[in-house]
């Protein structure tokens, strides 16, 4: 369980490196991966990117986030990937709301637009690695046209998108992109492992999800460097380059 230092390098040419806090530990030779990063909520461990260029707010567009996770907790509300600050109605995030359910959320001026999806195996805290892909469609004027979709372990998971939170409020350049927490006084730390985190400034092909299947079956497949694709991964933790979903 060696440390990874304080920098998680963005292996794309965008060079948007993250800074760690609390010394999360590298986990070598785990499952499908050469290594992963373990976050301990008791030690307040997380990583964040100071998004001064506002690359990850994604207003009025569709974007995708892909990652592998192995949860170590059955507690409610573990924030995994976020661009959101506690106490504000703006931004987006993945929230492990229970041991059996993952929530995708867009924050609006009123409340939330959400999609809750149950893990097919019955629990995220089953000691196994799970592949998660979330696809977000945002709109800053009309909540009704916003959409959320989630894929777990290579397959689409059905669920109802709950509207009524108001149109998406872009978090802006003062809000960090964070792994295993959110910015602010109530971070809701994630307790578990992460690997192969990728963020894309486009959606998947909604007519099919062969690339998602490939990411699940061949985690290192289909990776290229593209300046126009916002993609990050954990430095030294299965460093791969960006790809197109």
């Amino acid at each position: 369980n060696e440390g990874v230092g304080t920098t998680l390098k963005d292996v794309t040419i965008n060079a948007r490196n993250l800074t760690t806090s609390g010394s999360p530990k590298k986990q070598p030779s785990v499952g499908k991966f050469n290594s992963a990063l373990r976050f301990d909520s008791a030690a307040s461990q997380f990583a964040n990117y100071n998004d001064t260029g506002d690359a990850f707010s994604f207003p009025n567009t569709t974007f995708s986030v892909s990652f592998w996770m192995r949860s170590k907790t059955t507690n409610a509300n573990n924030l995994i990937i976020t661009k959101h600050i506690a106490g504000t109605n703006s931004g987006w995030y993945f929230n492990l709301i229970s041991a059996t359910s993952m929530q995708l959320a867009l924050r609006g001026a009123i409340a939330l637009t959400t999609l809750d999806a149950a893990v097919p195996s019955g629990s995220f805290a089953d000691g196994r690695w799970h592949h998660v892909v979330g696809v977000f469609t945002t709109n800053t004027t009309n909540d009704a046209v916003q959409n959320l979709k989630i894929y777990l372990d290579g397959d689409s998971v059905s669920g109802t998108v709950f509207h009524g939170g108001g149109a998406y409020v872009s978090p802006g350049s003062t809000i960090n992109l964070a792994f295993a927490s959110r910015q602010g006084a109530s971070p809701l730390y994630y307790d578990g492992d992460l690997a192969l985190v990728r963020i894309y400034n486009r959606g998947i092909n909604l007519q099919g999800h062969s690339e998602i299947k490939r990411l699940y079956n061949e985690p290192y497949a289909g990776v290229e460097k593209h300046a126009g694709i916002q993609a990050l991964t954990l430095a030294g933790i299965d460093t791969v380059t960006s790809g197109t979903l």
Side-chain angles (χ1 to χ4, degrees):
N1 292 356
E2 60 181 292
V4 295
T6 59
T7 299
L8 297 181
K9 185 180 179 183
D10 175 7
V11 299
T12 74
I13 59 177
N14 297 309
R16 298 186 175 104
N17 299 336
L18 289 86
T19 301
T20 66
S21 179
S23 300
K25 298 294 189 296
K26 184 177 179 179
Q27 304 296 302
S29 301
V30 285
K32 295 188 177 188
F33 320 105
N34 295 328
S35 58
L37 196 65
R38 175 161 296 174
F39 294 92
D40 183 354
S41 61
S44 303
Q45 294 174 348
F46 65 96
N48 73 84
Y49 168 68
N50 187 6
D51 192 15
T52 56
D54 202 19
F56 298 103
S57 286
F58 299 117
N60 299 308
T61 192
T62 297
F63 68 99
S64 306
V65 182
S66 169
F67 58 91
W68 286 85
M69 61 172 286
R70 183 171 58 176
S71 177
K72 297 295 182 183
T73 182
T74 58
N75 295 334
N77 295 320
N78 286 245
L79 292 175
I80 301 174
I81 312 288
T82 71
K83 169 81 171 173
H84 169 64
I85 188 169
T88 64
N89 289 330
S90 69
W92 57 268
Y93 53 79
F94 289 81
N95 182 12
L96 188 60
I97 57 176
S98 72
T100 61
S101 188
M102 178 73 70
Q103 181 184 79
L104 275 63
L106 295 172
R107 297 291 308 217
I110 302 170
L112 296 170
T113 297
T114 61
L115 170 65
D116 296 352
V119 64
S121 67
S123 174
F124 280 101
D126 57 5
R128 298 173 51 219
W129 281 95
H130 294 282
H131 183 228
V132 180
V133 176
V135 183
F136 300 73
T137 298
T138 67
N139 192 287
T140 58
T141 59
N142 186 357
D143 172 37
V145 302
Q146 297 189 134
N147 196 33
L148 300 163
K149 194 166 183 59
I150 190 167
Y151 299 81
L152 298 177
D153 297 331
D155 292 316
S156 175
V157 178
S158 61
T160 301
V161 177
F162 292 95
H163 295 273
Y168 178 64
V169 177
S170 180
S173 61
T174 62
I175 308 303
N176 295 337
L177 174 73
F179 295 173
S181 75
R182 65 179 172 185
Q183 196 171 338
S186 179
L188 300 178
Y189 297 110
Y190 166 63
D191 203 358
D193 301 333
L194 282 178
L196 295 173
V197 179
R198 298 179 176 99
I199 301 175
Y200 302 87
N201 62 357
R202 55 165 292 171
I204 62 163
N205 179 359
L206 297 181
Q207 303 305 312
H209 57 281
S210 60
E211 288 298 322
I212 291 175
K213 280 285 192 183
R214 193 179 184 199
L215 283 172
Y216 175 66
N217 292 316
E218 304 173 61
Y220 298 100
V223 291
E224 298 176 349
K225 290 185 179 180
H226 294 290
I229 297 176
Q230 320 304 334
L232 297 104
T233 189
L234 305 178
I237 316 254
D238 294 330
T239 51
V240 297
T241 49
S242 62
T244 303
L245 288 180

